[in-house]
Every structure is written in C-alpha cells, then in structure tokens.
Amino acid sequence: MAIFGEKRDIPQMIAGQLQRWACFLSGFNYTFKYGKGKDNGGADGLSRLPAHSEESDEEEIDFVRFIVEDKLPVDYAQIKKATRTDPVLSKVFMYTRDGWPENVDDTLKPYFHRLTEISIEQDVLIWGYRVLIPEKHRIRMLEELHSTHLGANKMKALARQYFWWPKLDAEIEQYAKSGDVYNTYAASLNRAELIKYNECKEVGERLHLDFLGPVKKKCTSSRQIRTPNGPKCTR
C-alpha cells in the first residue's frame, strides 16, 4: 500500500517491475482496502495451490552459466559470492535491482553511465553479454588472457567477448608489458637511428636519383651464338 497507494505518485527508486505495476494502476480509479488474513482464507489458499505444469524438471542452462563455466577460469559460484562482498559491485547490484540515485561517487560512475545496459542474471551482473568481474578475481582473468602470450591487442579482443570492468583495456596493456617475455625482447630491440641529410645552402646543390636496374639489353646484332645459358649477342 505504501507503493501502490491511490494517493501516491509513481515511485522512482523501486524495482522496474514495481514501477510497471504502478504505471499500469495509474490508469484506474481504485481504493485499497485492508483485509484480515483469517477473512481471506479462500483467496489465500487458491493463490498457494500448485498448478499443474508439463515443463521438465531438468535445470536449464542459462547464458551466464554457459559463459562463466565454459569460458572463464573462475566458476559461477565464485563470481556470485565475490559480487556480494565487493565494495563497488555490491552497490551496483543493489542499485540495478532497486533503482539508481541521481548522483553517485566516482567509483560508480563507469557503471552509472551504463545503467540502462546493466542487468542481473542468476545473481550475476551483466553488461550486455559480458560478465562484470569483481576485483578479487580480476588478476586471475588477466593471467588467463596472458597465459598464451597473445599480445595486448588480441588479449583485449578476447576479453571483450566475455567480461568487463572499468579501465580493462589499460590494465591489459600494462599487464602485457610487465610480462617476462615482453621485457626480454623489448630491451634488445634497438630503434634505427634517424639519419638526416646535411642542409643545402643553394638550390640544386644536391640531386637525388632513383636507380633502376639491371636492365637486360636488347640484342640489335644479327650475330648470335648459342650458349648453355641461352643465346648471346656478339658484336
């Protein structure tokens, strides 16, 4: 009654499903009347009566479980548990479920700018089709990406298919550069020295030519001899 009261405006800071009900009820003239539970036994009993269903009892494999369990080095239960204890993602979870405030602190702004694209599926935060990884498991994700030494660009391309967190691309580049293989070869790569021409004092002082050749000379003589390498022109 506090949410759907006939004299109340449509609340803004509630779950989306409740907002939709509030919008639906706003098209009617209605009055709430409280009824005691003992006087409402018939309706209450019917509402709890299990309905016959022909659906299978087999557990459906949802999108989140497919991505996490088959593609990521941490499982679904670990991400779910860490999300609830993460100081940032726990707030994102709450705001996504109950509604976002008008102003948030800087740590939440990357998520606030994507609030219409972030959803909750099986108690895991999803941005589009990418799982939001809690801070506890981020280093493990970077290690998995770098395990085959793909390089920063390929690591970023692979990460964009499965998961995300703020400044992910920058952290991938930094992690790739900190690897032992990169440091071993980067130190031995010397840049070529840039050589400059001396400055000319007068016009036409230096002339640059493009060389073409060798060019096979066409034989104009009527005298040719046969050699193992083919005909040869003689003078």
Side-chain angles (χ1 to χ4, degrees):
M1 294 179 66
I3 297 177
F4 300 124
E6 62 273 15
K7 296 182 180 180
R8 292 182 176 273
D9 296 331
I10 297 176
Q12 297 180 355
M13 302 303 297
I14 60 172
Q17 185 178 10
L18 296 179
Q19 281 189 345
R20 290 191 291 272
W21 271 109
C23 291
F24 175 77
L25 292 175
S26 65
F28 301 90
N29 293 323
Y30 59 90
T31 301
F32 275 106
K33 183 178 180 181
Y34 174 75
K36 295 182 179 180
K38 64 180 182 179
D39 298 332
N40 197 32
D44 187 58
L46 291 174
S47 66
R48 299 171 186 269
L49 185 66
H52 176 69
S53 176
E54 297 181 356
E55 296 181 359
S56 174
D57 294 334
E58 296 181 0
E59 182 181 3
E60 296 183 359
I61 301 177
D62 58 86
F63 175 77
V64 175
R65 291 181 181 271
F66 169 75
I67 290 295
V68 174
E69 295 181 1
D70 291 352
K71 306 296 181 181
L72 302 186
V74 292
D75 59 29
Y76 160 79
Q78 290 174 311
I79 293 180
K80 176 182 176 181
K81 181 179 179 181
T83 298
R84 294 300 183 91
T85 57
D86 189 275
V88 176
L89 288 188
S90 60
K91 294 181 180 179
V92 176
F93 187 96
M94 179 183 65
Y95 292 148
T96 302
R97 180 191 61 193
D98 302 331
W100 284 81
E102 295 183 358
N103 298 310
V104 296
D105 55 41
D106 293 340
T107 58
L108 293 173
K109 285 184 178 179
Y111 305 95
F112 181 76
H113 296 325
R114 298 169 173 83
L115 64 89
T116 59
E117 303 171 0
I118 295 178
S119 60
I120 299 174
E121 187 169 341
Q122 300 294 325
D123 292 332
V124 172
L125 288 168
I126 303 292
W127 175 41
Y129 57 87
R130 300 163 66 179
V131 178
L132 300 189
I133 302 297
E135 185 175 2
K136 177 180 179 180
H137 298 301
R138 291 176 184 176
I139 188 65
R140 180 69 185 91
M141 307 303 296
L142 294 176
E143 291 173 351
E144 181 69 15
L145 288 175
H146 193 58
S147 60
T148 54
H149 306 287
L150 294 175
N153 291 334
K154 291 186 178 180
M155 288 171 63
K156 288 187 286 187
L158 185 61
R160 289 167 187 160
Q161 300 180 39
Y162 303 110
F163 59 88
W164 178 82
W165 64 76
K167 299 181 180 180
L168 173 60
D169 288 356
E171 291 188 22
I172 288 177
E173 292 180 0
Q174 182 179 2
Y175 191 88
K177 291 181 179 180
S178 64
D180 295 336
V181 175
Y182 178 88
N183 293 330
T184 300
Y185 289 97
S188 62
L189 296 177
N190 297 323
R191 293 186 177 182
E193 182 180 357
L194 181 62
I195 301 176
K196 296 183 179 180
Y197 290 105
N198 296 329
E199 185 177 356
C200 296
K201 303 297 182 181
E202 300 177 0
V203 177
E205 181 178 344
R206 183 172 61 244
L207 181 64
H208 294 265
L209 297 176
D210 292 330
F211 293 93
L212 176 65
V215 179
K216 186 176 181 180
K217 184 178 180 180
K218 184 177 181 181
C219 182
T220 58
S221 174
S222 59
R223 299 179 59 185
Q224 293 184 358
I225 60 175
R226 294 181 179 275
T227 66
N229 297 326
K232 184 177 181 181
C233 183
T234 60
R235 295 182 180 179

